[in-house]
C-alpha cells in the first residue's frame, strides 16, 4: 500500500510529461523554418502555403517568423508539467494547475486514441499524403498520448503531495450552495440582460425565432424577434436582479408569495419553454458520436450544436440557478434550514425516510419501464424487423444509417435505465467494490441528482413537443416511430420524482441545523 502511494505521489510523472512533447515541438519548429525533416521539400512548401492561406493572423505571423503556434502550446504544456513537480509550482493555486492538467490529459489521450483507431481501420491513410514520413503520426500522437497519461498522473501526484488537512463538509463550496447560488443567479441574469441590450440595439446572434433559427418550428418562442423580444428580456432581467437581491431580506405574506411566484416562473420558463427536442438530441448523441468515432465512423455531432441550441443549455443553467435561489429563499423565509429544508428537525409526509423510499421506488420503476417501448422498436429496426413502420420506411432508415443511430440511442436509453436503478439500490449510495479508486466510498447525492434532474427536464420537454406535434398532425400510420415518444413525458416526470425522493432518502444529519432524519 505504501509503495502504491509512493508511486502515485512520485515526481517522475511530471518530469516524463515535461519531455513527452519536446520531439513534437522540435519537429514543428523545424518545419516552420523550412527544414524538410521526415518530410519532402514539396510537403514543406505545401504546409507553408496552407498556413498562409488558412491560418489565423497571429498564427500566420508567427509562422512567417519561424515559430509554429502549436509548438508554443507544446512548450506551455511542458511548463505545466514542470510546475507540478517544481517548487515554484507550489506557489500557484492548486486548481489553476490541476484543472488544465486533468482535463488536458483526458483530451490528449482521447484525441490520440481516436486517431490511432482511425489509422488502424484505414480511415486515415498515410499513403494519401506521401510527402510526410509514416513515422510522423507516431511522433505526434504518440507524444500526445504519453503526455496525456503522464500529466494526469503528475496531477494526481501533485494533488496528493499538496493536499492539506481535510476540510469539514460544511466548508466545501458545493456544500455551501445556498450561499452562492443567489449570487450566481444574479450574475447570470445581469449577463443575459446585457445580451438583451445588445440584441435590442441590432447586434447579431439573437437565438430565438424562426427568422434566426430555422429549427425553431416547435419552439414556444418561434415568433420572437430581436426588436420586440430584446427589450422584454432586458426588462425581465432588470426585474430579476431586483428580485434576487431582495432574497437577502426576510419576507412574509403576499410579498413572499409574489417573490417566489416570480422566481419559480422564471425558472420554469427557462427550463421548459426555451428548451426543445434538439437539446436532448445533443445529449443523447454525445456518447453515440464518441463511440462511433472511436470505431472509425463519422457523425456530424458538432454540426447539431448551433448557437440557438447552445443558448438552450445556457438558459437551462440559468433556470436551475433561479430554482436553487428560490428554494433557498423559500426555506429561509419560513424559518427552515436553508440546507436541508427542515424546521426544528421535523420530517413529515413524503419527506420522511420511509415514505421517500416507498414513493421513490414507485417513481423509479415507472421511469425504468417507460422507455422500454422506445428501446424495443429501435433495436428491432436494427435487426431488420419493421416493428410499427412500413418496409419502405425501414429500408430508408437502414440505407441512411438512421437505424444504427436509433439503436445507439436505444442503448443510451438502456444505460440510463441502469443508472436509474441507482436511485433505489444500495450501489446508488455507496460505490460498489468493482468501481476503481472509489470502491466502498459514499456516493455524493449531487452526482445522481444533477444528471437525473437535467435529463428529466430534457426528456419531459421532448415528450411534450412530440405530444403537441402528433395532436396537430394526427398521423399515426408509422406508429412505431411516433407512439413510443408519447411516453417521454411519463418517463421524464417519473425520473424527476424519483430523483426528488432519492434526495429525501439520502437526506440525513444536517451539519448546519443539527436535524437528523431517522423516521423509518
Amino acid at each position: 500500500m505504501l509503495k502504491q502511494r509512493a508511486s502515485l505521489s512520485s515526481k517522475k510523472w511530471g518530469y516524463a510529461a515535461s519531455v513527452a512533447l519536446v520531439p513534437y515541438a522540435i519537429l514543428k519548429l523545424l518545419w516552420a523554418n523550412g527544414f524538410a525533416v521526415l518530410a519532402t521539400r514539396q510537403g514543406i512548401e505545401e504546409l507553408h502555403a496552407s498556413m498562409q492561406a488558412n491560418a489565423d493572423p497571429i498564427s500566420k505571423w508567427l509562422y512567417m517568423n519561424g515559430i509554429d503556434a502549436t509548438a508554443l502550446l507544446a512548450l506551455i504544456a511542458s511548463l505545466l508539467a514542470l510546475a507540478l513537480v517544481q517548487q515554484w509550482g507550489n506557489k500557484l493555486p492548486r486548481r489553476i494547475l490541476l484543472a488544465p492538467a486533468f482535463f488536458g490529459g483526458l483530451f490528449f489521450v482521447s484525441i490520440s486514441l481516436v486517431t490511432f483507431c482511425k489509422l488502424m481501420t484505414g480511415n486515415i491513410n498515410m499513403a494519401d499524403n506521401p510527402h510526410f514520413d509514416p513515422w510522423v503520426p507516431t511522433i505526434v500522437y504518440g507524444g500526445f498520448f504519453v503526455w496525456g497519461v503522464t500529466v494526469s498522473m503528475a496531477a494526481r501526484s501533485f494533488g496528493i503531495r499538496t493536499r492539506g488537512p481535510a476540510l469539514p463538509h460544511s466548508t466545501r463550496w458545493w456544500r455551501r450552495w445556498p450561499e452562492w447560488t443567489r449570487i450566481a443567479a444574479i450574475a447570470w441574469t445581469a449577463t443575459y440582460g446585457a445580451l438583451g441590450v445588445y440584441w435590442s440595439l441590432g447586434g447579431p446572434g439573437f437565438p430565438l425565432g424562426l427568422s434566426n433559427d430555422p429549427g425553431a418550428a416547435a419552439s414556444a418562442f418561434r415568433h420572437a424577434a430581436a426588436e420586440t423580444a430584446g427589450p422584454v428580456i432586458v426588462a425581465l432581467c432588470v426585474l430579476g436582479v431586483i428580485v434576487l437581491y431582495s432574497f437577502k431580506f426576510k419576507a412574509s405574506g403576499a410579498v413572499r408569495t409574489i417573490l417566489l411566484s416570480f422566481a419559480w416562473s422564471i425558472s420554469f420558463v427557462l427550463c421548459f419553454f426555451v428548451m426543445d427536442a434538439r437539446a436532448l438530441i445533443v445529449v443523447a448523441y454525445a456518447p453515440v458520436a464518441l463511440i462511433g468515432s472511436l470505431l472509425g465512423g463519422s457523425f456530424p455531432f458538432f454540426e447539431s450544436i448551433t448557437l440557438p441550441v447552445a443558448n438552450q443549455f445556457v438558459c437551462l443553467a440559468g433556470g436551475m440557478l433561479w430554482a436553487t435561489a428560490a428554494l433557498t429563499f423559500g426555506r429561509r423565509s419560513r424559518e427552515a434550514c436553508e440546507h436541508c429544508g427542515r424546521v426544528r428537525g421535523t420530517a413529515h409526509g413524503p419527506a420522511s425516510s420511509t415514505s421517500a423510499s416507498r414513493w421513490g421506488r414507485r417513481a423509479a420503476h415507472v421511469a425504468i419501464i417507460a422507455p422500454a417501448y422506445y428501446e424495443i422498436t429501435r433495436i428491432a429496426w436494427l435487426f431488420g424487423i419493421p416493428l410499427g413502420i412500413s418496409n419502405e420506411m425501414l429500408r430508408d432508415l437502414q440505407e441512411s444509417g438512421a437505424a444504427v443511430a436509433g439503436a445507439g440511442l436505444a442503448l443510451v436509453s438502456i444505460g440510463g435505465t441502469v443508472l436509474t436503478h441507482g436511485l433505489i439500490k444500495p450501489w446508488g449510495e455507496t460505490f460498489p467494490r468493482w468501481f476503481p479508486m472509489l470502491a466502498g466510498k459514499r456516493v455524493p447525492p449531487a452526482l445522481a441528482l444533477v444528471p437525473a434532474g437535467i435529463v428529466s427536464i430534457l426528456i419531459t420537454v421532448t415528450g411534450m413537443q412530440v405530444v403537441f406535434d402528433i395532436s396537430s398532425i394526427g398521423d399515426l400510420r408509422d406508429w412505431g416511430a411516433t407512439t413510443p415518444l408519447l411516453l417521454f413525458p411519463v418517463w421524464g416526470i417519473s425520473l424527476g420524482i424519483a430523483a426528488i425522493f432519492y434526495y429525501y432518502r439520502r437526506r440525513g444529519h444536517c451539519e448546519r441545523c443539527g436535524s437528523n432524519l431517522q423516521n423509518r
Side-chain angles (χ1 to χ4, degrees):
M1 186 69 180
L2 291 176
K3 289 183 178 179
Q4 181 183 8
R5 187 173 181 84
S7 175
L8 288 175
S9 61
S10 174
K11 293 186 177 182
K12 294 179 181 179
W13 298 109
Y15 289 117
S18 67
V19 299
L21 294 178
V22 170
Y24 168 82
I26 292 175
L27 184 63
K28 297 289 281 187
L29 288 173
L30 289 172
W31 288 352
N33 286 277
F35 292 96
V37 179
L38 298 180
T40 64
R41 173 57 57 184
Q42 183 179 348
I44 297 299
E45 292 175 354
E46 292 179 356
L47 179 62
H48 279 251
S50 175
M51 290 296 296
Q52 289 296 322
N54 304 316
D56 59 89
I58 296 177
S59 298
K60 186 184 300 184
W61 181 84
L62 289 172
Y63 215 80
M64 290 176 60
N65 290 274
I67 302 173
D68 189 290
T70 59
L72 286 180
L73 293 176
L75 295 177
I76 293 173
S78 298
L79 287 176
L80 172 63
L82 282 176
L84 296 172
V85 293
Q86 292 293 315
Q87 189 64 32
W88 54 269
N90 295 334
K91 299 178 181 180
L92 300 172
R94 293 174 76 245
R95 292 178 183 175
I96 290 181
L97 298 178
L98 290 175
F102 274 125
F103 290 109
L106 178 63
F107 176 75
F108 271 64
V109 168
S110 301
I111 289 293
S112 57
L113 289 177
V114 168
T115 304
F116 285 135
C117 286
K118 289 185 176 182
L119 284 169
M120 289 186 290
T121 57
N123 286 279
I124 297 178
N125 191 353
M126 288 303 297
D128 296 336
N129 198 343
H131 301 299
F132 291 89
D133 194 277
W135 281 101
V136 170
T138 302
I139 295 174
V140 174
Y141 294 101
F144 286 1
F145 179 80
V146 172
W147 184 85
V149 171
T150 53
V151 82
S152 298
M153 295 301 298
R156 172 71 173 164
S157 169
F158 178 78
I160 293 174
R161 295 195 315 271
T162 60
R163 182 182 298 156
L167 293 173
H169 287 312
S170 58
T171 63
R172 295 172 180 170
W173 68 271
W174 61 87
R175 294 271 184 167
R176 294 183 284 107
W177 61 268
E179 302 173 14
W180 58 262
T181 49
R182 184 182 66 88
I183 304 300
I186 290 176
W188 183 94
T189 306
T191 302
Y192 210 83
L195 287 173
V197 173
Y198 173 72
W199 294 324
S200 300
L201 297 176
F206 184 68
L208 304 175
L210 284 170
S211 59
N212 305 291
D213 178 18
S219 172
F221 297 99
R222 57 186 175 275
H223 300 303
E227 300 80 20
T228 55
V232 174
I233 291 174
V234 175
L236 288 174
C237 287
V238 170
L239 185 58
V241 170
I242 296 172
V243 169
L244 289 168
Y245 181 78
S246 68
F247 281 1
K248 286 182 58 178
F249 310 102
K250 289 186 178 180
S252 60
V255 174
R256 176 180 182 271
T257 302
I258 292 172
L259 292 176
L260 284 176
S261 299
F262 180 86
W264 284 114
S265 298
I266 291 294
S267 175
F268 190 80
V269 169
L270 290 173
C271 290
F272 290 96
F273 281 84
V274 177
M275 312 294 292
D276 60 40
R278 291 174 294 176
L280 179 62
I281 292 173
V282 169
V283 172
Y285 267 107
V288 176
L290 176 60
I291 295 173
S293 63
L294 291 174
L295 297 177
S298 177
F299 292 86
F301 173 69
F302 290 102
E303 294 179 7
S304 62
I305 308 178
T306 60
L307 177 61
V309 174
N311 175 70
Q312 292 183 26
F313 287 102
V314 171
C315 290
L316 177 62
M320 298 183 74
L321 287 174
W322 267 89
T324 54
L327 180 64
T328 303
F329 173 72
R331 288 174 171 178
R332 186 175 67 251
S333 59
R334 62 182 176 88
E335 298 183 350
C337 176
E338 295 179 356
H339 291 258
C340 70
R342 287 171 287 197
V343 180
R344 295 188 298 277
T346 61
H348 303 285
S352 66
S353 217
T354 303
S355 298
S357 297
R358 181 173 65 253
W359 286 101
R361 283 194 300 271
R362 293 173 180 174
H365 288 151
V366 173
I368 291 168
I369 295 172
Y373 184 19
Y374 172 85
E375 296 158 2
I376 291 171
T377 55
R378 272 54 184 175
I379 293 176
W381 299 348
L382 178 67
F383 290 102
I385 303 173
L387 182 59
I389 58 175
S390 63
N391 290 324
E392 291 78 12
M393 184 175 182
L394 176 63
R395 185 163 51 252
D396 292 339
L397 291 174
Q398 291 177 332
E399 291 176 354
S400 64
V404 176
L409 293 179
L411 292 177
V412 173
S413 174
I414 293 172
T417 59
V418 173
L419 294 177
T420 302
H421 274 90
L423 299 176
I424 54 175
K425 296 294 184 180
W427 57 266
E429 300 182 27
T430 304
F431 286 105
R433 288 180 297 177
W434 50 264
F435 204 92
M437 298 178 67
L438 297 174
K441 294 184 178 180
R442 175 178 178 269
V443 176
L447 189 62
L449 290 172
V450 174
I454 293 174
V455 171
S456 67
I457 292 173
L458 299 181
I459 293 173
T460 303
V461 168
T462 302
M464 295 307 299
Q465 180 177 324
V466 172
V467 169
F468 290 135
D469 287 346
I470 290 180
S471 63
S472 62
I473 298 174
D475 185 3
L476 297 178
R477 284 176 297 179
D478 291 316
W479 54 266
T482 53
T483 55
L485 303 179
L486 294 176
L487 292 175
F488 273 35
V490 178
W491 180 14
I493 293 172
S494 60
L495 178 59
I497 293 173
I500 291 172
F501 283 110
Y502 172 84
Y503 162 74
Y504 281 128
R505 184 165 55 85
R506 295 292 307 278
R507 185 180 62 169
H509 175 73
C510 179
E511 298 176 353
R512 289 302 181 101
C513 70
S515 298
N516 198 3
L517 189 60
Q518 298 295 339
N519 300 345
R520 295 184 180 273

